[in-house]
Amino acid sequence: MKPAIEQSFTSDRHVWLAASIFFFTCLLLQVWRMQSLTSSMDQGILYQILWNGLQGHPFESTLSSQLSSNVVHTGDIPTVGYHRLGQHFTPILIIWLPLISLMGKWALPILQVALITLSGLFLYQLAKLHLKKKVASMITFSYLGANAVIGPCLGNFTDLAQLPLTVFALIIGIETRNKWLILIPALAIPLIREDTGVVLMGIGLWVILRQRKNLLLGSLLLFYGGAWVLIATNLLMPIFSDDTSKRFMVENFGQYLQGKNEANSLEVIKLALQQPLVIIKEIVTPPGQTLRYLLGQFLPLMFIPLISLDSWVIMGLPLLGLLMAQGNPLAINWRYTYLVVPGIFSGSIYWWKNNPNITLNSRLKSIWVGCILLSLIFTLTSNPNRTISWLMPESINPWVYHSPFKQWKHSRIALKSIQQIPPNASVSASSTLVPHLASREALIRFPYHIRYKNRQGETAYVDWVVADIYHHQKYASSFKNEWKDLQEIIQVLQNMEGKYSPVFTEDGIVLFQLNGKNNPKVSSNYKKLLEKISSITPPKP
């Protein structure tokens, strides 16, 4: 008995050690992302909507307004007072307002790492309900070493980072018959985002088909998840804007709309069901990308989810949604992996539970460890969300690598330059600087706009423009799209002459002030920079 107890404590210690390594490694890399200007606009959007919440204007964002149908399709300009809930219905984010108040721009990266780490510990508790600690530990190590877990965790903050924790908590509640641990996660999951109710539907379907001991609970979860998706997308989100029907449904599911340029989710479902061949085509193409995505998801679990019926039932509906989307948003480092990750890992627990004759001997454990290590290697070489560009090149052919010393020096200059901007001033900033400037009412992304509508509905030019020209310049000679972006920036900069004056320029960072005083030295340096980037030739095909 004593050796078994000692082994139990040892397993727990190993899991806590792995979780600690995961947390501090990812946290350090997130700090580097922020300090090296690798974080970008998406993180700024979520920070701005929460910061505005502290000012009494929850879920408002000029950055989100820039992505609205009115701006993208009809040529309008970003507006103060625009509610992001019309694009993504994420009411549960409001619970993190105190954290934003305490930690500012650092709250979101820390929160993301904490949520994913904690979800790994909840997965371990779920596994321990059914499996020996040795197997439960290996499943947890697989989770903490999975490319699909680490990659998005090292990206911009995503509301989907809340999903794995709530899913694992709900399944634990179902298994332990803990009413509160069922009720709270079940209510919370659909509130994470307008499409996460589909994940709850998968869990409900799993309870009905695989658990068979609580058909009422499974039916309630299935109904609530599906009903909420329809209510959110057809009734609640249109209150704030028509972006769901005019932009996101068209962009993601336009192949089913038969030429229509507007549709709600009910119409998309109806039209898609009338075109089964189009659905099949979307699911199976591109086959290489889909296969690589699934194998990458299954690798750290020794490919067990491939044969785990529980995994397929839980993850089936959200995976189907991803496969049916136009262009298949299947990239293992993207945030959308968190829609299927919980089903993959929780389902694997039940495969092991249902196959008690398979023992984790030393040989099988070695193979499993090898799969986890291979997953970590693939994660490293994929340079998730450019977070480890200080270590890995961003491209092999053409060769693109920027040393950490250069990145650090550039970021110090950039962050020093924006200190000149008053806290309440309106700003147009390059994507790399958006997360550092998002604690303000009016912030838009450069070079797309330098005008906006204030709260009174009046059109105004932003007070300041800060351009990270170096960020585009360093890629322009290697990638044609980046070169085209640079040409657009040059055109915008030329159009700004006479209205904005450069007040700071160094290392490709240029700070402009509306109607600012002319500084001959700064103006001279700026003109030299403009001449330099104008002479960059497009990369050879």
Side-chain angles (χ1 to χ4, degrees):
M1 186 71 178
K2 186 176 180 181
I5 295 175
E6 289 178 352
Q7 184 181 20
S8 174
F9 283 130
T10 300
S11 296
D12 286 343
R13 285 200 302 268
H14 288 166
V15 167
W16 278 96
L17 177 61
S20 299
I21 293 172
F22 178 92
F23 177 80
F24 287 109
T25 301
C26 290
L27 183 60
L28 286 172
L29 290 172
Q30 276 287 0
V31 170
W32 170 258
R33 273 180 61 81
M34 287 288 288
Q35 292 298 90
S36 63
L37 307 185
T38 307
S39 299
S40 56
M41 181 172 169
D42 282 353
Q43 184 144 312
I45 290 174
L46 290 168
Y47 180 42
Q48 189 184 39
I49 67 170
L50 291 173
W51 181 87
N52 272 325
L54 294 174
Q55 317 310 311
H57 303 288
F59 299 104
E60 288 187 4
S61 172
T62 48
L63 292 166
S64 285
S65 176
Q66 203 166 353
L67 302 175
S68 67
S69 177
N70 286 343
V71 173
V72 173
H73 295 148
T74 64
D76 202 354
I77 58 176
T79 304
V80 172
Y82 174 87
H83 285 86
R84 183 179 179 265
L85 293 174
Q87 293 181 8
H88 292 296
F89 201 75
T90 58
I92 204 170
L93 285 175
I94 206 77
I95 67 175
W96 306 117
L97 285 184
L99 197 62
I100 296 293
S101 179
L102 287 172
M103 306 181 69
K105 67 182 181 181
W106 295 105
L108 294 183
I110 293 173
L111 174 62
Q112 178 153 288
V113 175
L115 286 170
I116 298 304
T117 305
L118 192 58
S119 67
L121 296 174
F122 267 64
L123 176 66
Y124 180 55
Q125 295 304 315
L126 174 60
K128 285 199 299 181
L129 293 176
H130 302 290
L131 308 173
K132 293 180 179 179
K133 284 196 172 183
K134 185 165 63 173
V135 180
S137 299
M138 287 299 295
I139 289 175
T140 309
F141 298 151
S142 299
Y143 182 81
L144 298 174
N147 193 347
V149 173
I150 298 172
C153 186
L154 296 181
N156 293 322
F157 179 81
T158 170
D159 31 41
L160 294 177
Q162 303 163 104
L163 189 58
L165 176 61
T166 51
V167 169
F168 297 146
L170 174 58
I171 297 177
I172 291 173
I174 292 170
E175 293 289 6
T176 59
R177 299 179 182 274
N178 185 318
K179 293 181 180 179
W180 289 108
L181 207 51
I182 294 173
L183 182 62
I184 294 174
L187 290 175
I189 287 172
L191 301 180
I192 291 174
R193 216 171 78 152
E194 70 280 356
D195 54 353
T196 49
V198 176
V199 177
L200 191 64
M201 291 177 67
I203 298 171
L205 193 62
W206 170 74
V207 172
I208 294 171
L209 297 178
R210 300 293 291 167
Q211 297 294 91
R212 299 178 183 176
K213 58 186 178 182
N214 199 334
L215 295 180
L216 177 60
L217 175 61
S219 300
L220 287 173
L221 295 176
L222 183 63
F223 174 78
Y224 171 54
W228 184 261
V229 170
L230 296 177
I231 291 170
T233 54
N234 292 282
L235 297 178
L236 298 178
M237 295 175 70
I239 294 173
F240 302 97
S241 73
D242 55 8
D243 289 323
T244 299
S245 59
K246 286 189 175 181
R247 185 178 168 211
F248 293 100
M249 287 296 168
V250 176
E251 290 180 0
N252 293 327
F253 302 104
Q255 69 274 37
Y256 305 108
L257 300 186
Q258 299 175 339
K260 296 179 64 175
N261 56 12
E262 182 177 354
N264 60 37
S265 60
L266 279 172
E267 291 172 319
V268 169
I269 293 171
K270 180 181 177 180
L271 289 169
L273 291 176
Q274 295 173 1
Q275 304 170 79
L277 293 179
V278 179
I279 293 177
I280 293 171
K281 178 185 176 183
E282 286 294 334
I283 290 175
V284 300
T285 57
Q289 181 185 3
T290 302
L291 183 62
R292 286 194 301 271
Y293 177 78
L294 292 175
L295 292 179
Q297 289 271 20
F298 300 158
L299 172 61
L301 286 164
M302 210 166 44
F303 301 105
I304 291 299
L306 192 63
I307 55 174
S308 169
L309 184 57
D310 294 274
S311 290
W312 284 106
V313 172
I314 299 174
M315 74 170 176
L317 288 176
L319 179 62
L320 179 63
L322 293 178
L323 291 172
M324 287 178 62
Q326 198 160 241
N328 281 356
L330 301 181
I332 205 162
N333 290 318
W334 285 6
R335 57 187 177 271
Y336 303 112
T337 63
Y338 288 152
L339 289 166
V340 296
V341 158
I344 289 173
F345 281 86
S346 55
S348 296
I349 292 172
Y350 292 93
W351 185 89
W352 283 97
K353 176 190 175 184
N354 295 330
N355 292 272
N357 296 329
I358 299 179
T359 58
L360 187 61
N361 55 39
S362 57
R363 182 175 182 179
L364 189 59
K365 184 177 180 180
S366 297
I367 295 172
W368 199 342
V369 170
C371 288
I372 297 172
L373 291 175
L374 196 58
S375 176
L376 287 169
I377 291 171
F378 287 153
T379 304
L380 188 69
T381 55
S382 70
N383 187 8
N385 298 290
R386 291 180 170 176
T387 299
I388 53 174
S389 294
W390 53 273
L391 177 64
M392 303 297 298
E394 296 186 48
S395 172
I396 301 296
N397 186 22
W399 178 261
V400 179
Y401 172 74
H402 304 280
S403 75
F405 307 105
K406 174 59 180 172
Q407 292 182 53
W408 183 259
K409 177 186 174 184
H410 177 71
S411 66
R412 294 309 89 198
I413 294 170
L415 295 177
K416 176 185 175 183
S417 72
I418 63 176
Q419 291 177 5
Q420 300 180 45
I421 302 175
N424 296 324
S426 56
V427 182
S428 177
S430 292
S431 179
T432 55
L433 294 166
V434 162
H436 301 273
L437 291 163
S439 55
R440 64 189 66 242
E441 185 176 71
L443 173 65
I444 49 183
R445 181 180 174 182
F446 182 84
Y448 304 107
H449 295 93
I450 57 173
R451 294 186 305 146
Y452 72 103
K453 290 180 182 178
N454 59 28
R455 197 168 292 279
Q456 291 72 41
E458 302 165 339
T459 299
Y461 283 91
V462 294
D463 301 317
W464 297 80
V465 174
V466 56
D468 185 358
I469 296 174
Y470 167 77
H471 174 75
H472 299 276
Q473 178 186 354
K474 65 182 180 181
Y475 299 114
S477 59
S478 301
F479 304 109
K480 191 171 183 178
N481 287 339
E482 296 286 352
W483 181 83
K484 288 181 179 179
D485 289 344
L486 187 61
Q487 304 313 301
E488 182 178 350
I489 290 172
I490 292 170
Q491 184 63 51
V492 173
L493 292 174
Q494 291 172 343
N495 293 339
M496 287 168 48
E497 292 180 4
K499 187 170 290 291
Y500 287 89
S501 299
V503 296
F504 177 93
T505 177
E506 186 178 351
D507 200 42
I509 295 290
V510 186
L511 179 64
F512 300 88
Q513 185 178 11
L514 180 65
N515 301 321
K517 293 182 180 180
N518 181 52
N519 183 316
K521 183 178 179 181
V522 173
S523 296
S524 175
N525 291 336
Y526 167 62
K527 288 180 180 179
K528 291 178 182 177
L529 174 63
L530 202 56
E531 291 173 0
K532 182 178 179 180
I533 60 175
S534 298
S535 66
I536 296 176
T537 57
K540 296 179 180 180

